């Protein structure tokens, strides 16, 4: 293991390896910012995580979430977020992807308006991915990023997408970095390093440090990010309001606090995004013990089922009322090579998804793959014409109540194919994640941490819910699932490109433990992280 030759600031310990170039990222000054933010905000992060646990217990005991009475005045008042910088006005298509060097270059060159570099759902947060991802972004921000893969040279085009960065969520630690003897927050670590190295450089380019904030459960969690922004801007000598952030509304509880989240971040806000996959996962997680709650096969829980429609329209209405971008999420379909008929169906499904968002009034949406950029752009251009966005389109006609958000349907069908699909995807994804790849094509769909969470939580819930019954009448039980896990493991080993990796057998064990244990793991990435 290579040791560091830099002066590590007092109070911080780095347990990860210092490979060549890592000292460009882990400079004493950048680490000092990590220490400063961590000391200032770690206690609050822990308090907020404890509040999550308390709220979850109340829901387990039967409480139904609702819009908060104590913030009614914020919802009723007329206010708008601070003006959006020119560099972020036009966001019709945003490509997302892990921070692998080649993919970073491809994403910047993809023709999308925005590229969201993902340290979160699409990424295994091992030490190498985190630090090399930061290195890749440092080079990209300076226009210096190049690489070579399989004899092909990669470099940035003249015209590239605007960069946004998604740090890790509040629940994740960075175990290789201790501040005052405790693991630092993964989100603070990712954010501080990116800010320290790139904020001024981005400003020089006429852009700015722009972020996506994942998995928030409340406006108090947004307030924590806002306070971190304020301190960081002060520390780095940046004008207040330089940082802009889009919050993913991807938990059921955050859906009840959209106005409040925009309000907390209003000097730093760049709108909200409908993170559909984690949203579905969050619904399953929060209501997993509710005897009335049960969702059908994953494939049936689409954006057009009523509770998802209510969420999407409420997000749109809320954003535009506040002068903020409403950003659509991601259809998981990706181009299918060597099968034109299936490919045409997949492309059409993505087209319909973007068309619906654009016609509803969304200002843009996510794509998973460069091959989807043009198609999505066409749908947004059809509606937006030459306009950068349609924030002026108010949706006062939308009325989504708490009951609408909580009307979880459809409950059927649950099929053996759907159950096996969840098991298969779960094992395949977990295995790839352990091997360092946090975003994988499985059965022609993009699978990441959020989609895999749905798969594993559905299996847990179907085993426990009296409604967890297959369409042929068989009750789903642990006894039914266990042999299926072994059968699906064999298939995964055949299907996965690196099927001989021992990680798939370990993934099957973890999947079995997670889906059959009495306790529900809060996030699958928490136990997985201890394995890497
Ligand atoms: C729920 C959520 O959080 S959604 C957000 C998180 N998810 C994502 O970000 C999805 C990111 N997408 C991906 O990682 C990939 O598209 C996958 C894994 C789904 C599919 O990957 P592959 O099967 O390897 O794609 P494929 O072979 O068709 O790729 C073709 C080319 O496009 C590139 N590419 C594919 N997706 C992306 C992307 N998102 N960003 C940049 N480049 C990409 C590939 O690197 C490859 O480049 P090359 O021709 O220079 O070698
Ligand atoms: O992060 C996006 C999601 O859908 O989850
Ligand atoms: Mg997500």
């Amino acid at each position: 293991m290579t040791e560091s030759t830099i002066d590590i600031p007092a109070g911080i310990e780095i347990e990860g390896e210092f490979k060549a170039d890592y000292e460009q990222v882990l400079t004493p000054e950048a680490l000092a910012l990590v220490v400063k933010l961590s000391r200032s905000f770690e206690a609050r992060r822990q308090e907020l995580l404890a509040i999550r646990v308390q709220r979850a217990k109340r829901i387990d005991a039967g409480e139904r979430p609702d819009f908060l009475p104590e913030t009614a005045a914020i919802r009723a008042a007329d206010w708008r977020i601070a003006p959006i910088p020119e560099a972020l006005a036009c966001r019709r298509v945003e490509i997302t992807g892990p921070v692998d060097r080649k993919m970073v270059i491809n994403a910047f060159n993809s023709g999308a308006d925005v590229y969201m570099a993902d340290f979160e759902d699409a990424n295994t947060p091992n030490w190498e991915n985190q630090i090399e991802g930061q290195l890749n972004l440092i080079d990209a921000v300076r226009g210096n990023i190049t690489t070579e893969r399989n004899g092909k040279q990669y470099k940035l085009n003249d015209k590239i997408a605007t960069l946004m960065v998604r740090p890790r969520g509040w629940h994740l630690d960075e175990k290789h970095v201790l501040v005052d003897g405790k693991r630092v927050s993964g989100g603070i670590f990712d954010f501080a390093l990116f800010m320290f190295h790139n904020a001024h450089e981005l400003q020089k380019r006429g852009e700015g440090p722009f972020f996506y904030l994942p998995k928030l459960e409340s406006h108090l969690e947004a307030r924590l990010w806002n306070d971190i922004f304020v301190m960081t801007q002060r520390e780095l000598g940046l004008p207040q309001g330089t940082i802009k952030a889009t919050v993913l509304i991807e938990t059921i509880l955050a859906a009840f606090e959209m106005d409040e989240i925009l309000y907390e971040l209003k000097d730093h806000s760049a709108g909200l995004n409908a993170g559909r996959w984690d949203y579905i996962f969050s619904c399953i997680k929060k209501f997993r013990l509710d005897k009335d709650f049960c969702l059908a096969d994953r494939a049936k829980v689409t954006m057009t089922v009523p509770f998802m429609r209510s969420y999407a329209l409420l997000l749109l209405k809320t954003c535009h009322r506040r002068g903020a971008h409403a950003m659509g999420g991601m259809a998981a379909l990706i181009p299918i090579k060597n099968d034109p008929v299936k490919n045409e169906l997949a492309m059409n499904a993505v087209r319909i998804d973007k068309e619906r968002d654009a016609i509803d009034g969304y200002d843009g949406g996510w794509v998973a793959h460069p091959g989807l950029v043009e198609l999505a752009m066409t749908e947004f251009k059809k509606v937006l014409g030459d306009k950068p966005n349609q924030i002026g389109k108010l949706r006062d006609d939308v009325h989504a109540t708490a009951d609408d958000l909580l009307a979880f349907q459809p409950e059927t069908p649950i099929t053996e194919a759907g159950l096996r699909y969840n098991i298969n995807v779960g094992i395949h994804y977990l295995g790839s994640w352990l091997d360092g790849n946090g975003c994988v094509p499985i059965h022609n769909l993009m699978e990441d941490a959020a989609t895999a969470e749905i798969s594993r939580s559905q299996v847990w819930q179907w085993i426990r819910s009296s409604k967890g019954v297959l369409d042929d009448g068989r009750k789903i039980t642990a006894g039914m699932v266990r042999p299926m896990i072994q059968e699906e493991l064999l298939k995964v080993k055949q299907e996965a490109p690196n099927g001989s990796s021992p990680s798939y057998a370990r993934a099957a064990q973890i999947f079995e433990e997670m889906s059959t244990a009495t306790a529900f793991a809060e996030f699958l990435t928490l136990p997985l992280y201890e394995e890497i």
Side-chain angles (χ1 to χ4, degrees):
M1 173 156 158
T2 319
E3 293 296 330
S4 149
T5 54
I6 67 159
D7 286 333
I8 307 267
I12 195 164
E13 292 160 69
I14 310 280
E15 302 199 329
E17 190 177 354
F18 266 78
K19 291 192 186 165
D21 297 344
Y22 282 21
E23 290 179 3
Q24 270 184 55
V25 176
L26 302 166
T27 63
E29 297 79 8
L31 292 174
L33 182 62
V34 172
V35 174
K36 169 95 187 169
L37 294 178
S38 191
R39 285 192 177 144
S40 306
F41 297 110
E42 178 58 15
R44 260 175 71 194
R45 177 175 81 108
Q46 293 304 334
E47 279 163 26
L48 289 166
L49 291 175
I51 290 174
R52 283 188 184 180
V53 174
Q54 294 311 318
R55 273 182 109 181
K57 277 191 184 147
R58 296 204 301 274
I59 294 171
D60 288 351
E63 185 178 291
R64 303 282 280 176
D66 205 342
F67 299 97
L68 304 178
E70 64 271 28
T71 51
I74 290 174
R75 292 194 297 281
D78 280 325
W79 48 266
R80 288 167 72 85
I81 63 161
I84 299 149
E86 188 57 35
L88 267 188
C90 184
R91 303 170 62 180
R92 297 159 301 188
V93 181
E94 298 189 334
I95 189 168
T96 70
V99 284
D100 161 78
R101 196 164 181 89
K102 177 188 85 170
M103 290 183 83
V104 167
I105 300 173
N106 281 341
F108 271 116
N109 289 344
S110 66
D113 295 315
V114 167
Y115 159 43
M116 188 201 74
D118 197 7
F119 287 97
E120 215 244 354
D121 283 337
N123 176 49
T124 300
N126 63 33
W127 181 241
E128 288 73 21
N129 287 350
Q130 296 309 121
I131 304 304
E132 285 164 29
Q134 293 279 354
L135 263 172
N136 295 339
L137 295 183
I138 290 173
D139 289 345
V141 165
R142 285 152 184 82
N144 287 335
I145 187 169
T146 56
T147 195
E148 193 250 298
R149 299 275 169 98
N150 301 323
K152 188 171 161 189
Q153 303 296 325
Y154 292 84
K155 68 179 179 61
L156 292 179
N157 294 341
D158 292 337
K159 185 172 167 9
I160 55 169
T162 299
L163 177 64
M164 297 185 79
V165 174
R166 178 160 71 169
R168 281 171 280 185
W170 285 137
H171 58 293
L172 290 170
D173 295 337
E174 174 49 71
K175 67 180 174 184
H176 302 93
V177 179
L178 309 182
V179 172
D180 302 327
K182 293 209 183 82
R183 285 179 178 186
V184 74
S185 148
I188 288 181
F189 183 71
D190 301 340
F191 166 81
L193 292 180
F194 180 78
M195 279 300 293
F196 182 84
H197 291 295
N198 303 298
H200 287 282
E201 195 65 33
L202 284 162
Q203 268 207 315
K204 270 197 245 158
R205 279 182 16 181
E207 298 188 13
F210 302 146
F211 294 91
Y212 257 102
L213 303 178
K215 296 186 178 51
L216 268 59
E217 295 203 359
S218 76
H219 69 289
L220 298 179
E221 297 183 13
R223 185 179 297 169
L224 175 56
W225 271 118
N226 195 68
D227 292 347
I228 289 173
F229 293 170
V230 169
M231 178 179 284
T232 305
Q233 288 165 157
R234 207 166 48 227
E235 289 292 309
L236 298 183
L238 293 162
Q240 292 298 330
T242 303
I243 297 172
K244 296 290 173 194
T246 302
V247 171
L248 285 139
I249 299 299
E250 54 181 353
T251 66
I252 180 69
L253 297 177
F256 289 91
E257 301 185 31
M258 294 198 244
D259 269 314
E260 292 85 339
I261 287 170
L262 286 174
Y263 187 79
E264 292 294 342
L265 280 157
K266 64 182 182 324
D267 295 334
H268 298 107
S269 177
L272 304 177
N273 176 297
R276 61 180 75 170
W277 301 108
D278 266 312
Y279 190 78
I280 297 169
F281 161 56
S282 165
C283 294
I284 300 168
K285 175 162 71 176
K286 294 294 178 201
F287 295 100
R288 69 196 184 282
L289 299 178
D290 183 334
K291 64 178 177 24
D292 293 325
F293 178 96
C294 189
L295 285 175
D297 281 353
R298 192 185 114 168
K300 299 288 179 203
V301 188
T302 64
M303 287 311 284
T304 56
V305 304
F307 80 98
M308 294 299 284
R309 192 86 189 116
S310 298
Y311 143 72
L313 290 175
L314 183 60
L315 186 151
L316 170 58
K317 175 186 182 175
T318 309
C319 285
H320 284 188
R321 180 176 175 215
R322 305 306 182 183
H325 282 82
M327 299 304 303
M330 181 180 284
L333 300 114
I334 46 177
I336 301 174
K337 297 163 200 151
N338 310 324
D339 190 334
V341 176
K342 277 192 184 164
N343 186 54
E344 184 56 31
L345 289 171
M347 294 306 96
N348 200 41
V350 177
R351 193 188 59 69
I352 290 169
D353 192 74
K354 298 303 161 201
E355 178 187 47
R356 185 182 51 249
D357 275 357
I359 291 174
D360 279 347
Y362 272 84
D363 302 294
W366 279 10
V367 295
H369 189 287
L372 301 171
V373 171
E374 199 180 319
L375 172 163
M377 191 66 88
T378 302
E379 294 311 312
F380 277 96
K381 278 187 180 168
K382 273 188 208 162
V383 176
L384 270 64
D386 293 337
K387 288 186 301 186
N389 57 60
Q390 50 182 337
I391 294 174
K393 179 169 175 165
L394 299 181
R395 291 298 312 260
D396 294 335
D397 57 310
V398 169
H399 300 286
T401 64
D403 284 346
D404 295 332
L405 293 174
L406 299 174
F408 301 114
Q409 296 283 346
E411 293 186 349
T412 57
I414 302 172
T415 63
E416 179 172 338
L419 174 61
R420 282 186 179 275
Y421 188 88
N422 278 339
I423 296 170
N424 183 293
V425 163
I427 296 171
H428 192 150
Y429 181 77
L430 266 61
S432 301
W433 194 100
L434 289 171
D435 282 342
N437 183 4
C439 196
V440 218
I442 307 179
H443 307 305
N444 299 322
L445 292 181
M446 180 284 308
E447 297 288 345
D448 71 357
T451 59
E453 288 281 28
I454 300 174
S455 288
R456 69 96 187 181
S457 55
Q458 279 205 313
V459 175
W460 189 97
Q461 215 254 338
W462 287 341
I463 289 173
R464 277 149 198 92
S465 170
S466 59
K467 295 182 177 179
V469 178
L470 296 178
D471 56 353
D472 60 13
R474 285 176 295 155
K475 174 76 189 82
I476 298 172
T477 60
M480 176 191 285
V481 165
R482 279 196 188 95
M484 285 184 183
I485 290 176
Q486 294 314 313
E487 288 155 19
E488 294 306 316
L489 170 61
L490 293 179
K491 291 185 204 161
V492 169
K493 285 181 167 176
Q494 303 280 319
E495 291 158 358
N498 59 340
S500 57
S501 162
S503 296
Y504 293 105
R506 180 68 190 126
Q509 270 175 352
I510 296 172
F511 190 89
E512 181 172 327
E513 280 156 27
M514 271 196 176
S515 50
T516 59
T518 310
F520 182 86
E522 185 66 10
F523 288 99
L524 72 82
T525 46
L526 290 174
L528 281 189
Y529 189 53
E530 302 309 322
E531 303 260 331
I532 57 173

